[in-house]
Amino acid sequence: MIKPMTTLFMLMSVDGKISTGSIDDRDVDKDFPHIEGISKGLTQYYDIEKTTDLFSMNSGKVMVKVGANKPKENIGKIPVSFIIIDNQPHLNDIGVDYFIRMSKNFYLVTTNKNHPAFQRKKESNLHIIYYKDHIDFINLFEKLKTVYKIDQMTIQTGGTLNSVLLREKLIDKLNIVIAPALIGGKDTATLVDGKSLQELRELEYIKALKLINVIKLDNSYLQLKYEIINDTKLI
C-alpha cells in the first residue's frame, strides 16, 4: 500500500476516553484544566504535541470542538499543514479562513460540494480533495503520498474515524498520552469507536500492538508508544 507513514497521537483517560462527555460542550481540553489531580500535568501533552509531524490529519468536528469556528485576532502562520476531514460541514467560513491563514498548507477532504471552502478555492495554500459519494481513504492516503508528497503524518481524529482508518490498515504507529483519570459513560467517545465486532471472522479487525516505549511523565501521566501490527493473523 502506498501511503504516508502515520502515527495516531491522542490524549486519553485510563479507561480510553478521549472526551469528558457525549456532547460538544464537554472536551478534555476544556475540562481537564479544572480538575485537581489532572490539571497539573496536562501541559506535558501539549509539549509532546509540538514534536509531532508537520502534517496533521484532523476532523472538522474535532476542530470545531476546540474553537476553530470562533473569531480570532492576530492569526499567525505556523509550519504545520492540516488535512481536515469535513463532510457535514462542521467548519464554517470563519473556520475555513482560520486554517487558510494559519496553516502552511490546508487540505480539505469532503463529500460536500457546498462546503464553504469552495468559496476560497483560489487561495494558494488551500487544496480541496473532493469525493462524490464517500471518502475512499485508501485512495486518499495514496494521493497524499504521491500527489502531495506527504511522507509522514500525525492523525488526531475522533473515535469513529480512528476506527475506519485502523480497520483499513492506514495507521502504523500509536503514540498515546494517558491522563490519570477515569471518566466513564457508555456514549462518551473512546480512542477507537465505530461498529462493534460480532462475527468470528471480524476478529481480523483487531490489531495487535508491539510496545516500543513506556515513558513515565510527571504528575502520574504516562506516554505509550506502539507499533501497530496491521496484518492480523488468526490461529
Side-chain angles (χ1 to χ4, degrees):
M1 186 185 301
I2 300 173
K3 65 174 190 60
M5 179 66 68
T6 58
T7 300
L8 178 61
F9 175 71
M10 302 290 288
L11 171 68
M12 72 178 195
S13 64
V14 173
D15 56 335
K17 304 297 184 180
I18 57 173
S19 180
T20 48
S22 60
I23 61 174
D24 288 347
D25 285 343
R26 297 278 62 79
D27 184 75
V28 293
D29 293 294
K30 297 177 183 177
D31 297 338
F32 276 1
H34 302 292
I35 304 173
E36 186 175 354
I38 302 174
S39 60
K40 197 170 182 180
L42 184 59
T43 56
Q44 297 170 104
Y45 167 75
Y46 301 113
D47 290 339
I48 295 170
E49 186 177 38
K50 293 175 184 177
T51 69
T52 57
D53 299 310
L54 293 178
F55 290 91
S56 178
M57 174 173 280
N58 307 81
S59 71
K61 182 177 181 179
V62 171
M63 292 293 94
V64 170
K65 284 187 70 173
V66 298
N69 283 345
K70 294 180 180 179
K72 300 172 185 62
E73 297 180 359
N74 303 319
I75 299 173
K77 186 74 73 174
I78 64 174
V80 178
S81 295
F82 289 89
I83 303 98
I84 306 294
I85 313 297
D86 192 34
N87 292 328
Q88 190 169 10
H90 293 279
L91 294 177
N92 59 20
D93 293 334
I94 294 172
V96 169
D97 180 69
Y98 171 67
F99 281 105
I100 289 173
R101 294 169 63 186
M102 177 186 67
S103 311
K104 181 177 182 180
N105 282 290
F106 173 28
Y107 304 87
L108 189 280
V109 184
T110 188
T111 59
N112 189 335
K113 62 182 180 181
N114 296 314
H115 196 287
F118 282 99
Q119 303 301 316
R120 302 288 299 275
K121 62 183 180 180
K122 292 184 180 180
E123 299 286 346
S124 61
N125 69 331
L126 172 61
H127 311 272
I128 300 176
I129 305 173
Y130 173 72
Y131 288 89
K132 184 176 180 180
D133 298 313
H134 68 279
I135 297 173
D136 181 337
F137 283 98
I138 293 177
N139 174 267
L140 171 63
F141 277 52
E142 180 176 350
K143 189 173 295 186
L144 293 175
K145 172 71 172 180
T146 59
V147 177
Y148 298 105
K149 309 302 180 184
I150 298 176
D151 293 322
Q152 293 188 177
M153 181 170 67
T154 294
I155 297 170
Q156 294 180 276
T157 54
T160 300
L161 189 49
N162 289 348
S163 173
V164 172
L165 301 179
L166 188 69
R167 291 176 181 180
E168 292 282 12
K169 303 181 181 181
L170 292 171
I171 304 176
D172 301 300
K173 298 178 181 180
L174 199 58
N175 185 0
I176 299 298
V177 175
I178 300 179
L182 293 171
I183 294 174
K186 67 177 183 178
D187 296 321
T188 301
T190 64
L191 182 67
V192 181
D193 290 326
K195 180 180 178 292
S196 297
L197 306 184
Q198 297 179 343
E199 304 290 337
L200 179 63
R201 59 179 176 81
E202 293 178 318
L203 293 180
E204 67 181 22
Y205 292 130
I206 296 176
K207 305 302 177 187
L209 304 176
K210 180 181 179 181
L211 184 63
I212 303 300
N213 200 4
V214 179
I215 302 172
K216 184 178 179 181
L217 304 174
D218 295 335
N219 304 107
S220 299
Y221 277 75
L222 286 175
Q223 182 182 10
L224 305 179
K225 295 183 179 182
Y226 290 96
E227 176 185 332
I228 297 176
I229 302 173
N230 274 305
D231 293 322
T232 302
K233 297 181 180 178
L234 302 181
I235 57 176

